[in-house]
Amino acid sequence: MKPMDVETFKEVYKKRFEDVYAIQYHMGSTLEQFQVLGQVLRGYYTDYWIENNQEKIDNQDKQVYYFSMEFLPGRQLKTYLLNLDVYDTVKTGLTDLGLDFDKIVEAEVDPALGNGGLGRLASCFMDSMASTHVYGNGCGIRYQYGLFKQKFIDGYQIELPENWLRNPNPWEVRKESKSVIVRFGGNVWLEEQKDGKLKPKYEHTFDVLAVPYDTPQIGYRNGVVNNLRLFSAEIPYDEESKYITSEQRQEVNSITEVLYPDDSNYEGRLLRLKQEYFLSSAGIQTIVRYFKNLKLPWTRFPEKVAIHINDTHPTLCIPELMRILLDEEDLTWEQAWNISKKTFSYTNHTILQEAMERWPVYMIESLIPRIAQIIYEINARHIRNKTELYGSELAYKTAPIQDDQVLMANLAIISSHSVNGVAKLHTEILERYTLSDFKTIYPFRFNNKTNGVTHRRWVQLANEPLSQLLDKTIGEEWRFQPKEMRLLRSYIDDESVLDQLQQVKLTNKKRFAKFVSEQMNIEIDPHAMFDVQIKRLHAYKRQLLQVMHIIDRYLQLRDNPEAKLAKRVFVFGAKAAPSYYYAKQIIKLINALADLVNNDPRINDMIKIVFVENYSVSLAELIIPAADLSEQISLAGKEASGTSNMKLMANGALTIATLDGANVEISNLVGPDDIFLFGMKADEVQVLRDSHAYNARDIYERDPQIQRILNSLIDGTIPGIKSEGIDIFNSLVTDNDEYFLLKDYHSFYQAQMKVDINYANKKSWTQKSLINIAQSGKFSADYTILRYASDIWNVAPETEVLQQF
Ligand SMILES: *Cc1c(COP(=O)(O)O)cnc(C)c1O
């Protein structure tokens, strides 16, 4: 990399500032300081970017295209500085100039172009692809408004628009000349050509321009710059005259206006389908244009291109590629299908029925008629071929069209060469139950790729004190090879290291406590246990189980302030989908409980509840390093993987968990003494559900501890709640507790008591924390990406790079 010394940086920065704002550099606002720093940095990395793009064309290396409707990158500045190896230079330079580095960092908006784990995974993968020499290209949508901003008013969630582009975004580059047209609606029919071939003819289509905005993805000190390409919908330049009414213009703009705020839930609205086709078509057209520049025969397409579909949302990529190969490139169906199948791979992210995409055929027909025809043909051929081999029952059960609906998962599975789950347990459940019919037909198509997280963002940047301690103790190799964090294990009995580890945690807790004091006006004791549950609010994630536990402790402490319980700060961060009424009621309950508990002098500050507003990547970076306990308490079998569990582990939090998602793998890595497991296992849940023997009211009536907790929801104990208390009570007692909270409660409570006892022994707690940190390197997304690269995309980087891993 080019050298950059502090003095040169300062000169360049000052000059640029004055050129741009025509005032002296120290007179600028923090936002202006950030903007100029962005420009300086851009001037620094752009050479690499251009070089990388040229190399890509010269070397014709295979390209991976990662399609995702969501990316949740968080702020980019520190990542660029770290990966370009100029972090210290820039920080020192700015400090020398009398500027506040941390303030400048915070001036960047945190782009919320995703809901939660799925989008965050896509962003961790972008960082890891660049850092492991995988030529990866992200394809997504440049939503004008990101995920809503959450505010609490009277304890209720209020959603405000998130206009994240109100300030110029210094990292993106508008690539107008690379725009493509995406065609919607109209009529389409097949017309015979002179040579006897059929060609589709279109009329009255609604054409939208897809304009790419590129953001560089810089590898960790390796000179690689990949690209994240987000498309924005605009009116085609030469058709301004066709789109004159404000409705027409609005129809175009609305396509990329907002991100759908639902997580783990299917949204069947037309605008969502438009977004999905818009992304699929724009992305595939771009790939085809790139490939045609290589001047190779079509049969070699899968050698040069791998296309990955992150969940089913971009599945229309498949018929879109078929359309182009058939209609524009004149390939036969068999040729196009073979190419397509070798090119596509698909990741399943959920087994929740309510999250499975299924589009009514009539919607696809009217919105994208040619694509509908191609899906019919895929369906017909599937049924024909598979009936011959496996009989009609299996053929129909796996067909993409059923009951006049297109089942997107079925379409993705039968059209891809690889289908993966995101944790061992999740993949097992897919193969054994959810997708077992497909497993029969395609026994070798399934594989597991357990999710990962990038330690660069989640440890190196978010937790500088821990990073420095690691450097000092085990050397710096872990920064390149997170697995090397395992070296920390040998310090398990080193009093000095344990002491320092405690100091690191305390430093991070004080930083979070300061934030809580300043932003929320709540005083929390950094010596209390910080017990953290941060994730989308969803019934299956069971925030309510933790609420029951808090109420239980609160009532015990009210009876007896001397009760032998650990002092805890319960931290929540969670957004609920705006239409998810039950989840919003739970938010209100947590806030009402916080009001009660935080201000009740009878309990001696033994409990504080901190529900941070507007949970985001940036807040996660603040909270996670401060966590002592990580709550991963979903109903077993429901959480596909989880990734906050990995981030928290890497920062030394101990996990209390059900054996769900990647918790299973965490448990295997640290061993039973260094994790707190509880609750039913996935197969036990299955058996209980199938038996129809579960009776929640019965538990409520017979169990005094649970009865007391639940009664507090309806007897005025929590003054802030109104009908929420009754509704939530009813969901558990009258509606038979769909997520088995009452069934798992005692086991959860026992585990929490064990946590209390363990926390009292500082040394052994810190030893457990050390083990968790040491084992977390295995969850680096770098390794996950290398497994995708070798097993799925067939792009294993040069052997020297691979050997590092
Ligand atoms: C990691 C992360 C998530 C995912 O959390 P889970 O607990 O795995 O669901 C969601 N949102 C943000 C902001 C994250 O950083």
Side-chain angles (χ1 to χ4, degrees):
M1 307 233 96
K2 287 178 294 194
M4 168 149 67
D5 63 84
V6 176
E7 290 312 312
T8 319
F9 167 73
K10 281 155 66 179
E11 287 314 309
V12 173
Y13 178 86
K14 279 199 289 197
K15 172 90 173 70
R16 178 65 63 92
F17 195 97
E18 291 166 8
D19 285 353
V20 173
Y21 290 109
I23 49 170
Q24 287 182 317
Y25 75 88
H26 50 82
M27 306 290 284
S29 69
T30 319
L31 182 59
E32 289 165 345
Q33 290 161 6
F34 165 72
Q35 291 291 345
V36 168
L37 180 57
Q39 291 183 21
V40 170
L41 219 58
R42 194 160 150 167
Y44 181 72
Y45 64 61
T46 301
D47 290 350
Y48 294 114
W49 201 7
I50 294 172
E51 221 171 88
N52 266 264
N53 282 334
Q54 191 52 47
E55 269 176 36
K56 170 168 146 181
I57 293 165
D58 295 345
N59 299 349
Q60 304 197 351
D61 290 316
K62 186 170 182 179
Q63 299 291 312
V64 175
Y65 293 86
Y66 193 86
F67 278 75
S68 181
M69 283 286 278
E70 304 187 8
F71 287 90
L72 199 52
R75 293 180 178 131
Q76 289 298 293
L77 174 58
K78 279 190 178 180
T79 291
Y80 287 153
L81 294 175
L82 177 76
N83 291 7
L84 290 165
D85 202 7
V86 296
Y87 190 96
D88 293 333
T89 307
V90 167
K91 188 170 175 176
T92 310
L94 292 170
T95 312
D96 280 2
L97 291 171
L99 305 176
D100 186 333
F101 177 73
D102 294 332
K103 283 266 152 49
I104 294 175
V105 167
E106 283 168 24
E108 180 178 358
V109 275
D110 180 340
L113 306 185
N115 274 286
L118 175 129
R120 184 53 233 171
L121 182 77
S123 287
C124 277
F125 280 3
M126 290 309 299
D127 185 60
S128 284
M129 282 194 266
S131 297
T132 56
H133 290 256
V134 170
Y135 297 105
N137 305 267
C139 292
I141 291 182
R142 181 176 178 270
Y143 301 103
Q144 207 181 328
Y145 291 89
L147 184 63
F148 66 86
K149 213 179 234 149
Q150 179 192 54
K151 272 200 105 38
F152 296 143
I153 296 184
D154 187 26
Y156 291 102
Q157 169 176 295
I158 303 296
E159 300 95 25
L160 301 174
E162 164 65 339
N163 185 10
W164 73 288
L165 290 166
R166 62 193 175 276
N167 310 321
N169 171 355
W171 317 126
E172 66 178 13
V173 182
R174 182 181 163 90
K175 295 263 173 74
E176 228 164 85
S177 64
K178 304 274 187 192
S179 302
V180 295
I181 294 281
V182 176
R183 215 159 30 191
F184 290 102
N187 300 316
V188 60
W189 67 93
L190 297 174
E191 214 170 75
E192 196 170 327
Q193 306 292 103
K194 283 202 197 83
D195 59 7
K197 283 192 173 143
L198 296 173
K199 274 248 170 184
K201 291 281 167 198
Y202 296 82
E203 64 174 14
H204 308 313
T205 56
F206 185 82
D207 296 347
V208 176
L209 191 71
V211 181
Y213 285 75
D214 289 356
T215 304
Q217 306 293 306
I218 297 171
Y220 185 58
R221 300 180 189 179
N222 63 1
V224 173
V225 186
N226 283 341
N227 191 21
L228 170 62
R229 175 163 283 188
L230 303 178
F231 292 97
S232 181
E234 294 183 14
I235 293 160
Y237 307 121
D238 50 354
E239 306 207 17
E240 288 280 349
S241 58
K242 274 213 265 171
Y243 298 79
I244 38 180
T245 70
S246 61
E247 285 84 5
Q248 286 170 327
R249 305 182 78 86
Q250 179 50 27
E251 194 178 338
V252 173
N253 293 327
S254 68
I255 296 174
T256 52
E257 199 164 47
V258 289
L259 165 74
Y260 273 93
D262 254 310
D263 190 65
S264 303
N265 204 54
Y266 164 65
E267 178 58 82
R269 267 182 290 201
L270 186 63
L271 180 57
R272 172 76 178 186
L273 184 61
K274 275 188 199 167
Q275 291 185 334
E276 294 186 357
Y277 183 63
F278 175 80
L279 167 62
S280 302
S281 176
I284 294 293
Q285 289 187 61
T286 306
I287 295 169
V288 165
R289 180 176 60 202
Y290 164 76
F291 179 75
K292 286 175 79 163
N293 270 333
L294 302 180
K295 310 243 178 301
L296 296 172
W298 279 107
T299 46
R300 298 192 59 192
F301 187 79
E303 272 172 51
K304 296 295 172 190
V305 171
I307 305 178
H308 200 86
I309 295 173
N310 192 31
D311 214 328
T312 56
H313 319 133
T315 300
L316 292 173
C317 280
I318 295 164
E320 176 67 2
L321 180 64
M322 289 294 290
R323 180 188 71 78
I324 294 174
L325 296 180
L326 294 167
D327 296 355
E328 291 173 14
E329 304 300 331
D330 287 329
L331 270 62
T332 66
W333 183 276
E334 286 72 17
Q335 288 167 331
W337 183 247
N338 279 332
I339 290 167
S340 177
K341 221 161 82 186
K342 285 185 195 153
T343 305
F344 286 106
S345 47
Y346 153 65
T347 297
N348 174 290
H349 280 269
T350 183
I351 51 164
L352 298 180
Q353 271 313 308
E354 64 269 30
M356 293 292 185
E357 286 198 295
R358 56 208 134 75
W359 291 100
V361 164
Y362 75 86
M363 263 168 91
I364 296 188
E365 236 167 36
S366 69
L367 188 71
I368 30 178
R370 180 63 184 140
I371 294 299
Q373 293 174 345
I374 291 169
I375 296 174
Y376 291 146
E377 186 64 22
I378 294 175
N379 187 63
R381 285 173 186 252
H382 174 82
I383 291 174
R384 208 182 313 141
N385 296 339
K386 300 308 168 200
T387 299
E388 262 174 43
L389 295 165
Y390 304 96
S392 67
E393 193 189 332
L394 214 48
Y396 278 94
K397 268 163 63 179
T398 52
I401 302 182
Q402 296 183 22
D403 303 326
D404 294 323
Q405 295 194 317
V406 178
L407 308 183
M408 299 298 259
N410 295 19
L411 181 58
I413 295 165
I414 68 166
S415 317
S416 301
H417 66 85
S418 163
V419 177
N420 73 282
V422 290
K424 276 187 197 133
L425 175 69
H426 171 59
T427 303
E428 228 173 83
I429 293 173
L430 288 178
E431 293 186 1
R432 236 189 259 158
Y433 305 100
T434 327
L435 303 177
S436 61
D437 293 332
F438 294 94
K439 175 82 182 167
T440 308
I441 299 185
Y442 313 107
F444 305 114
R445 194 162 291 186
F446 291 84
N447 62 92
N448 175 248
K449 295 286 168 282
T450 301
N451 284 168
V453 296
T454 170
H455 281 63
R456 287 173 289 281
R457 176 173 294 268
W458 297 108
V459 180
Q460 290 202 49
L461 292 172
N463 201 340
E464 286 185 43
L466 176 60
S467 303
Q468 280 158 14
L469 176 58
L470 287 170
D471 287 352
K472 220 167 54 176
T473 314
I474 58 169
E476 293 183 24
E477 184 59 14
W478 70 275
R479 291 181 182 259
F480 295 87
Q481 291 295 336
K483 270 184 189 167
E484 294 303 303
M485 290 165 87
R486 74 191 154 84
L487 297 176
L488 196 61
R489 279 197 90 117
S490 46
Y491 295 85
I492 183 121
D493 291 315
D494 185 320
E495 299 284 347
S496 154
V497 169
L498 294 175
D499 253 19
Q500 293 176 73
L501 212 46
Q502 280 173 27
Q503 282 310 314
V504 163
K505 189 53 85 182
L506 189 61
T507 303
N508 292 323
K509 287 167 80 171
K510 283 181 175 164
R511 179 173 70 151
F512 179 57
K514 182 161 174 283
F515 169 89
V516 171
S517 169
E518 288 170 2
Q519 302 292 318
M520 305 177 67
N521 218 358
I522 303 173
E523 302 308 318
I524 55 176
D525 176 359
H527 296 282
M529 182 199 311
F530 285 14
D531 179 345
V532 170
Q533 189 171 23
I534 43 175
K535 48 186 75 255
R536 281 301 285 258
L537 213 137
H538 211 293
Y540 84 81
K541 292 180 183 274
R542 301 202 295 190
Q543 278 94 351
L544 189 53
L545 190 62
Q546 174 77 327
V547 170
M548 286 176 63
H549 164 229
I550 300 171
I551 293 175
D552 201 346
R553 294 175 89 93
Y554 170 70
L555 295 174
Q556 286 183 46
L557 283 163
R558 242 176 43 173
D559 291 348
N560 171 18
E562 305 299 313
K564 273 202 158 327
L565 292 169
K567 186 172 186 180
R568 293 203 199 192
V569 175
F570 295 96
V571 180
F572 291 95
K575 290 182 182 181
S579 62
Y580 193 172
Y581 187 65
Y582 183 62
K584 292 171 101 170
Q585 290 185 310
I586 292 171
I587 287 181
K588 169 66 179 172
L589 171 60
I590 298 173
N591 280 322
L593 187 63
D595 265 352
L596 171 66
V597 168
N598 292 350
N599 302 305
D600 189 338
R602 288 173 291 184
I603 61 162
N604 263 333
D605 292 332
M606 287 295 285
I607 307 177
K608 292 285 171 187
I609 301 176
V610 173
F611 194 164
V612 296
E613 244 171 14
N614 202 38
Y615 178 55
S616 62
V617 172
S618 295
L619 277 172
E621 289 164 10
L622 182 67
I623 297 167
I624 289 171
D628 293 305
L629 187 63
S630 162
E631 299 281 341
Q632 306 300 337
I633 60 179
S634 52
L635 176 64
K638 293 284 183 186
E639 187 77 87
S641 163
T643 47
S644 75
N645 45 4
M646 303 168 185
K647 299 169 200 164
L648 283 152
M649 174 194 188
N651 282 276
L654 272 58
T655 308
I656 181 163
T658 49
L659 279 173
D660 200 14
N663 302 346
V664 178
E665 285 145 270
I666 293 179
S667 167
N668 290 337
L669 281 172
V670 300
D673 293 340
D674 298 320
I675 188 168
F676 303 95
L677 294 175
F678 74 95
M680 286 185 287
K681 299 181 180 48
D683 46 4
E684 293 166 348
V685 172
Q686 185 77 24
V687 168
L688 179 59
R689 194 184 289 114
D690 292 347
S691 75
H692 299 285
Y694 185 58
N695 188 337
R697 184 178 292 278
D698 205 48
I699 299 180
Y700 166 71
E701 282 169 358
R702 285 162 196 247
D703 183 318
Q705 190 179 5
I706 287 177
Q707 197 174 94
R708 188 170 184 225
I709 297 167
L710 296 195
N711 284 350
S712 76
L713 297 172
I714 51 173
D715 64 7
T717 304
I718 307 166
I721 47 169
K722 302 189 177 77
S723 58
E724 296 83 22
I726 298 160
D727 289 349
I728 291 168
F729 178 93
N730 282 335
S731 76
L732 296 176
V733 177
T734 314
D735 301 336
N736 208 28
D737 184 19
E738 187 179 349
Y739 297 96
F740 300 110
L741 281 75
L742 306 194
K743 172 76 184 167
D744 272 350
Y745 185 74
H746 275 288
S747 162
F748 181 52
Y749 181 78
Q750 292 307 324
Q752 289 287 14
M753 291 304 111
K754 195 170 157 197
V755 168
D756 273 17
I757 293 164
N758 275 268
Y759 193 69
N761 185 341
K762 272 267 155 287
K763 181 176 171 190
S764 86
W765 182 274
T766 308
Q767 288 173 318
K768 292 174 197 300
S769 169
L770 178 145
I771 295 290
N772 272 270
I773 297 168
Q775 293 292 53
S776 77
K778 305 249 169 69
F779 289 114
S780 163
D782 293 358
Y783 307 124
T784 313
I785 279 300
L786 285 170
R787 291 188 284 263
Y788 274 86
S790 65
D791 300 355
I792 301 179
W793 300 329
N794 199 14
V795 292
E798 316 103 73
T799 42
E800 50 177 315
V801 183
L802 198 65
Q803 265 163 14
Q804 289 179 20
F805 291 88

Coordinates of all heavy atoms in Angstrom, one line a residue, residues 72 115-118 120 453 458 534-536 540-541 615-618 620 624 632 639 641-645 647, ligand 1:
L72 N -26.6 -4.3 5.6 CA -26.6 -3.5 6.8 C -25.1 -3.2 7.2 O -24.6 -3.8 8.2 CB -27.3 -4.3 7.9 CG -27.9 -3.5 9.2 CD1 -28.7 -2.3 8.8 CD2 -28.6 -4.5 10.1
N115 N -32.9 -5.0 7.7 CA -33.7 -5.2 8.9 C -32.9 -5.7 10.1 O -33.1 -5.2 11.3 CB -34.8 -6.2 8.7 CG -36.0 -5.5 8.1 OD1 -36.8 -4.8 8.8 ND2 -36.3 -5.7 6.8
G116 N -32.0 -6.7 9.9 CA -31.3 -7.3 11.0 C -30.3 -8.3 10.5 O -29.5 -7.9 9.6
G117 N -30.3 -9.5 11.1 CA -29.3 -10.4 10.8 C -29.0 -10.7 9.4 O -27.8 -10.8 9.0
L118 N -30.0 -10.8 8.5 CA -29.8 -11.2 7.1 C -28.9 -10.1 6.4 O -28.0 -10.4 5.7 CB -31.1 -11.4 6.4 CG -31.1 -11.7 4.9 CD1 -31.9 -12.9 4.6 CD2 -31.6 -10.5 4.2
R120 N -27.1 -7.8 7.9 CA -25.8 -7.7 8.5 C -24.8 -8.8 8.0 O -23.7 -8.5 7.8 CB -26.0 -7.7 10.1 CG -24.7 -7.5 10.9 CD -23.9 -6.2 10.4 NE -22.6 -6.5 10.2 CZ -21.7 -5.7 9.6 NH1 -22.0 -4.5 9.3 NH2 -20.4 -6.1 9.4
V453 N -19.1 -13.7 11.5 CA -19.1 -12.3 11.7 C -17.7 -11.8 11.5 O -16.7 -12.5 11.7 CB -19.5 -11.9 13.1 CG1 -21.0 -12.3 13.4 CG2 -18.6 -12.4 14.2
W458 N -16.2 -6.2 14.6 CA -16.8 -6.5 15.9 C -15.8 -6.7 17.0 O -16.2 -6.7 18.2 CB -17.7 -7.7 15.8 CG -18.8 -7.4 14.9 CD1 -19.0 -7.9 13.6 CD2 -19.9 -6.5 15.1 NE1 -20.2 -7.4 13.0 CE2 -20.7 -6.5 13.9 CE3 -20.3 -5.7 16.2 CZ2 -21.9 -5.8 13.8 CZ3 -21.5 -4.9 16.1 CH2 -22.2 -5.0 14.9
I534 N -30.2 -8.2 22.4 CA -30.3 -7.2 21.3 C -30.5 -8.0 20.0 O -29.7 -8.7 19.6 CB -29.0 -6.3 21.2 CG1 -27.8 -7.2 21.4 CG2 -29.0 -5.2 22.3 CD1 -26.5 -6.4 21.2
K535 N -31.7 -7.7 19.4 CA -32.1 -8.4 18.2 C -33.5 -7.9 17.8 O -34.1 -7.3 18.7 CB -32.1 -9.9 18.4 CG -32.8 -10.3 19.7 CD -32.7 -11.8 20.0 CE -31.4 -12.2 20.5 NZ -30.5 -12.9 19.6
R536 N -34.0 -8.2 16.6 CA -35.3 -7.8 16.3 C -36.3 -8.3 17.3 O -36.1 -9.4 17.9 CB -35.7 -8.3 14.9 CG -35.1 -7.4 13.8 CD -35.5 -6.0 13.9 NE -36.9 -5.8 13.4 CZ -37.2 -5.4 12.3 NH1 -36.3 -5.0 11.4 NH2 -38.5 -5.2 11.9
Y540 N -40.8 -15.5 18.4 CA -39.9 -16.7 18.5 C -38.6 -16.4 19.2 O -38.0 -17.3 19.8 CB -39.7 -17.3 17.1 CG -38.6 -16.7 16.3 CD1 -37.3 -17.1 16.6 CD2 -38.8 -15.8 15.3 CE1 -36.2 -16.6 15.8 CE2 -37.8 -15.2 14.6 CZ -36.5 -15.6 14.9 OH -35.5 -15.1 14.1
K541 N -38.2 -15.2 19.2 CA -36.9 -14.8 19.9 C -37.1 -14.7 21.4 O -36.1 -14.7 22.2 CB -36.3 -13.5 19.4 CG -35.8 -13.7 17.9 CD -35.2 -12.4 17.4 CE -34.8 -12.4 16.0 NZ -33.4 -12.9 15.8
Y615 N -32.2 0.6 17.9 CA -31.1 -0.3 17.8 C -30.5 -0.4 16.4 O -31.3 -0.4 15.4 CB -31.6 -1.7 18.3 CG -30.5 -2.8 18.2 CD1 -29.3 -2.6 18.8 CD2 -30.6 -3.9 17.4 CE1 -28.3 -3.5 18.7 CE2 -29.7 -4.9 17.3 CZ -28.5 -4.6 18.0 OH -27.5 -5.6 17.9
S616 N -29.2 -0.3 16.3 CA -28.5 -0.2 15.0 C -27.2 -0.9 15.1 O -26.7 -1.3 16.2 CB -28.4 1.2 14.6 OG -27.5 1.8 15.6
V617 N -26.5 -0.9 14.0 CA -25.1 -1.5 14.0 C -24.2 -0.6 14.9 O -23.5 -1.2 15.7 CB -24.5 -1.5 12.6 CG1 -23.0 -1.9 12.6 CG2 -25.3 -2.5 11.7
S618 N -24.4 0.7 14.8 CA -23.5 1.5 15.7 C -23.8 1.3 17.2 O -22.8 1.3 18.0 CB -23.7 3.0 15.3 OG -23.3 3.2 14.0
A620 N -24.9 -1.5 18.4 CA -24.4 -2.8 18.7 C -22.9 -2.7 19.0 O -22.4 -3.4 19.9 CB -24.7 -3.7 17.5
I624 N -22.2 -4.3 22.7 CA -21.6 -5.7 22.7 C -20.3 -5.8 23.5 O -20.2 -6.7 24.4 CB -21.5 -6.2 21.3 CG1 -22.9 -6.5 20.7 CG2 -20.6 -7.5 21.2 CD1 -22.9 -6.8 19.3
Q632 N -29.6 -15.7 24.3 CA -29.9 -16.3 23.0 C -30.9 -17.4 23.3 O -30.6 -18.5 23.3 CB -28.6 -16.9 22.4 CG -27.5 -15.9 22.3 CD -27.8 -14.6 21.4 OE1 -28.7 -14.7 20.6 NE2 -27.1 -13.5 21.7
E639 N -34.6 -20.3 15.4 CA -33.5 -19.3 15.0 C -32.6 -20.1 14.1 O -31.9 -21.0 14.5 CB -32.8 -18.8 16.2 CG -31.8 -17.7 15.9 CD -32.5 -16.3 15.7 OE1 -32.8 -15.6 16.6 OE2 -32.9 -16.0 14.5
S641 N -29.7 -19.3 12.6 CA -28.3 -19.3 13.1 C -28.1 -18.3 14.3 O -27.8 -18.6 15.4 CB -27.3 -18.9 12.0 OG -26.1 -18.5 12.5
G642 N -28.5 -17.0 14.0 CA -28.1 -15.9 14.9 C -26.7 -15.5 14.6 O -25.8 -16.4 14.2
T643 N -26.4 -14.3 14.7 CA -25.0 -13.8 14.6 C -24.6 -12.9 15.8 O -23.5 -12.8 16.1 CB -24.8 -13.0 13.3 OG1 -25.8 -12.1 13.1 CG2 -24.7 -14.0 12.1
S644 N -25.6 -12.3 16.5 CA -25.3 -11.5 17.7 C -24.7 -12.4 18.7 O -23.8 -12.0 19.5 CB -26.5 -10.7 18.2 OG -27.4 -11.5 18.9
N645 N -25.1 -13.7 18.7 CA -24.5 -14.7 19.7 C -23.0 -14.7 19.4 O -22.2 -14.8 20.4 CB -25.2 -16.0 19.5 CG -25.4 -16.5 18.1 OD1 -25.0 -15.8 17.2 ND2 -26.0 -17.6 17.9
K647 N -21.0 -12.4 17.9 CA -20.4 -11.1 18.2 C -20.2 -10.9 19.7 O -19.1 -10.5 20.2 CB -21.3 -9.9 17.8 CG -21.6 -9.8 16.3 CD -22.7 -8.8 16.0 CE -23.4 -9.0 14.7 NZ -24.7 -8.3 14.7
Ligands
LIG1 C1 -25.9 -8.8 14.4 C2 -27.1 -7.9 14.3 C3 -28.4 -8.4 14.2 C4 -28.6 -9.9 14.3 O1 -28.9 -10.3 15.6 P1 -29.5 -11.7 16.0 O2 -29.5 -11.7 17.5 O3 -28.6 -12.7 15.4 O4 -30.9 -11.8 15.4 C5 -29.4 -7.6 14.1 N1 -29.3 -6.2 14.0 C6 -28.0 -5.7 14.1 C7 -27.9 -4.2 14.1 C8 -26.9 -6.5 14.3 O5 -25.7 -5.9 14.3

